C-alpha cells in the first residue's frame, strides 16, 4: 500500500494535502506538482511511502532543482514509484545509459538469437531486471540521495538515517507538522 502527500511550508505553518501519483511519470512531473502546491515558491516536501518497505522525500524550494532522499533504494527499485525517484543522476549514471546499452545489445545480438530466427531467443525469466526497467544489481542497497534534506527543518541527518517504520509520522513530528499530515492520512 502506498501513501503520498505534499507538505507546503507557508508563513502560517505547514499545509498538507494528499496527492494522487497516477498521472506522475517523471521527477519533472512530481516537481511541477510540488511547485503548484506553493504559488509563493515556499518549500514543499513530497512524501511517498510504501508501507514497511521504503519511503522517499522530494524537496522543492522555489525554482531550485529538487532534492531527493530514498530510505532503501533497492526496495524502491522494485516499486512502481521507484522509477520516479531513482533518476540516473541520483544513481550516478549517465542519462539514458540503460537505453544505450539495450540498443547496443540489440544491434550486436547479445540475446543469443539470430536476426532471422527470433524463436530461439533464450528465456530470460531469471534475469535481475524488474518490471520498472531497473537492474536490481545496479541499484545500491540502503539509503540513497541527500541525507541532509531535512537538516535545516529540524531533522538531522543521523535521525533521518535511523528511521524505519512509520517514518513519515516521525518526520512530520520533527518538522512540527504531525497534526496537518495526520489530516490527510
Amino acid at each position: 500500500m502506498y501513501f503520498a502527500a505534499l507538505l507546503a511550508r507557508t508563513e502560517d505553518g505547514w499545509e498538507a494535502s494528499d496527492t494522487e501519483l497516477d498521472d506522475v511519470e517523471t521527477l519533472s512531473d512530481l516537481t511541477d506538482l510540488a511547485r503548484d502546491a506553493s504559488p509563493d515558491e515556499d518549500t514543499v516536501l513530497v512524501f511517498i511511502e510504501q508501507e514497511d518497505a521504503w519511503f522517499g522525500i522530494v524537496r522543492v524550494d522555489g525554482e531550485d532543482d529538487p532534492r531527493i532522499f530514498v530510505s532503501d533504494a533497492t526496495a524502491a527499485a522494485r516499486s512502481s514509484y521507484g522509477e520516479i525517484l531513482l533518476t540516473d543522476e541520483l544513481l550516478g549514471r549517465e542519462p539514458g545509459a540503460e537505453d544505450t546499452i539495450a540498443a547496443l545489445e540489440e544491434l550486436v545480438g547479445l540475446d543469443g538469437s539470430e536476426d532471422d530466427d527470433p524463436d530461439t531467443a533464450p528465456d530470460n525469466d531469471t534475469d535481475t531486471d524488474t518490471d520498472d526497467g531497473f537492474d536490481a544489481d545496479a541499484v545500491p542497497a540502503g539509503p540513497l540521495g541527500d541525507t541532509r534534506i531535512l537538516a535545516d527543518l529540524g531533522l538531522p541527518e543521523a535521525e533521518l538515517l535511523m528511521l524505519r517504520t512509520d517514518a513519515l509520522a516521525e518526520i512530520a513530528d520533527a518538522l512540527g507538522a504531525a497534526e496537518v499530515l495526520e489530516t490527510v492520512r
Side-chain angles (χ1 to χ4, degrees):
M1 171 177 248
Y2 289 95
F3 171 72
L6 296 170
L7 272 182
R9 190 166 100 177
T10 68
E11 52 187 51
D12 296 329
W14 291 98
E15 293 179 8
S17 60
D18 61 341
T19 187
E20 283 295 319
L21 299 178
D22 294 341
D23 295 330
V24 175
E25 296 179 7
T26 65
L27 180 59
S28 181
D29 293 343
L30 189 61
T31 302
D32 290 343
L33 183 70
R35 287 189 177 120
D36 289 346
S38 179
D40 295 330
E41 296 188 3
D42 292 318
T43 297
V44 177
L45 302 174
V46 181
F47 291 147
I48 301 173
E49 178 181 56
Q50 182 180 4
E51 192 172 292
D52 295 331
W54 68 277
F55 68 91
I57 304 166
V58 177
R59 179 177 175 165
V60 178
D61 294 302
E63 291 300 316
D64 292 347
D65 288 340
R67 296 166 56 190
I68 303 167
F69 174 78
V70 177
S71 66
D72 185 338
T74 304
R78 293 186 298 264
S79 161
S80 60
Y81 296 117
E83 187 174 41
I84 296 170
L85 302 181
L86 297 176
T87 63
D88 286 337
E89 182 181 338
L90 189 66
L91 293 169
R93 295 189 294 222
E94 286 291 318
E98 284 191 13
D99 295 337
T100 302
I101 291 169
L104 288 172
E105 286 175 347
E106 185 176 317
L107 180 67
V108 297
L110 293 180
D111 65 354
S113 67
E114 296 292 326
D115 288 341
D116 58 351
D117 191 11
D119 293 339
T120 61
D123 185 5
N124 290 330
D125 286 347
T126 59
D127 69 10
T128 58
D129 287 349
T130 65
D131 291 339
D132 295 327
F134 284 105
D135 179 353
D137 294 331
V139 177
L144 185 65
D146 185 351
T147 57
R148 299 193 40 78
I149 192 169
L150 301 173
D152 64 322
L153 298 175
L155 188 68
E157 176 180 15
E159 289 181 33
L160 179 64
L161 291 171
M162 290 188 320
L163 296 176
R164 296 292 173 248
T165 59
D166 206 23
L168 297 187
E170 290 186 43
I171 292 169
D173 189 46
L175 302 178
E179 288 181 23
V180 294
L181 183 63
E182 193 58 37
T183 63
V184 297
R185 256 203 134 129

